[in-house]
Amino acid sequence: MNDFIFHNPDKVYFGKNQMKNLPQELLTFGKKVLLVYGGGSIKKNGLYDEIISLAKANGIELFELSGVEPNPRHSTVNKGAAICKSEGIDVILAAGGGSTIDCAKGVAAAALTDSGNV
């Protein structure tokens, strides 16, 4: 086995009105954000509108990868990687459940490859 160091810090905002911290966290990495979400529940529950509003108020440029399916397809991940490459995305924001988060992780990895293929 090769020697290595694994460092995985977490920061969790928990409680009421914590979305106000989102712009500060995103701007730590840059102003171009890929918003990854699924079938639209974030639009029904108001989260989408809140993210859009916070982004606009803080000079954050949002790009979207919507329609992420349960157990995301590689083609969806590759589509997100292509957006990252063409738009110079600084940070990926997953809004939704586990499949959305899994897709966002795949997009982040594929975006850093030469081929953009997960």
Side-chain angles (χ1 to χ4, degrees), residues 29-70:
F29 302 99
K31 290 187 170 217
K32 290 182 138 188
V33 176
L34 178 64
L35 174 61
V36 179
Y37 61 97
S41 63
I42 70 165
K43 289 187 176 181
K44 292 175 191 165
N45 67 23
L47 181 59
Y48 178 85
D49 290 336
E50 189 172 5
I51 291 170
I52 298 298
S53 176
L54 287 167
K56 285 182 181 177
N58 289 278
I60 295 170
E61 188 176 4
L62 282 180
F63 299 83
E64 296 184 29
L65 177 63
S66 62
V68 173
E69 56 279 307

Side-chain angles (χ1 to χ4, degrees), residues 53-110:
S53 176
L54 287 167
K56 285 182 181 177
N58 289 278
I60 295 170
E61 188 176 4
L62 282 180
F63 299 83
E64 296 184 29
L65 177 63
S66 62
V68 173
E69 56 279 307
N71 300 313
R73 300 178 191 277
H74 73 279
S75 56
T76 303
V77 174
N78 290 347
K79 181 178 173 187
I83 295 169
C84 289
K85 287 176 168 287
S86 68
E87 301 297 340
I89 297 296
D90 300 311
V91 61
I92 300 169
L93 172 61
S99 291
T100 301
I101 295 167
D102 288 346
C103 182
K105 291 185 288 187
V107 168

